[in-house]
Amino acid sequence: MEKPRAAKDKRYEEAHREERKAKNMIWGTSVPREKAEEINGFLKKYGYTKVQLIEAGYKALLEKI
């Protein structure tokens, strides 16, 4: 009998947690809803991801310094 998906996901997470944490970082940040909806609309309209937005903004700020 096959294990439920939740059990498989938990096993996978336990096995790969440190690897994932070493590779990626999650920023728990908040943006006012109105601004977030505006940003999400822009991203959807032009086909960008949030990661692309952050990278482009970071690059622009570095160039400004």
Side-chain angles (χ1 to χ4, degrees):
M1 187 168 164
E2 197 170 310
K3 290 186 178 187
R5 179 167 176 117
K8 289 180 184 179
D9 289 349
K10 183 178 180 183
R11 233 179 56 231
Y12 179 87
E13 172 60 19
E14 288 170 354
H16 295 89
R17 178 178 291 128
E18 294 306 315
E19 175 186 342
R20 180 180 48 77
K21 285 185 176 182
K23 184 179 175 186
N24 300 298
M25 181 182 292
I26 297 173
W27 292 328
T29 187
S30 294
V31 176
R33 179 161 298 279
E34 188 176 308
K35 181 59 72 177
E37 289 174 355
E38 179 184 337
I39 292 168
N40 283 341
F42 171 86
L43 296 174
K44 186 174 183 177
K45 181 177 179 180
Y46 294 102
Y48 292 110
T49 66
K50 290 175 187 165
V51 172
Q52 290 172 313
L53 174 68
I54 292 168
E55 290 172 341
Y58 177 63
K59 182 180 177 186
L61 288 171
L62 284 174
E63 291 171 357
K64 192 175 178 180
I65 296 176

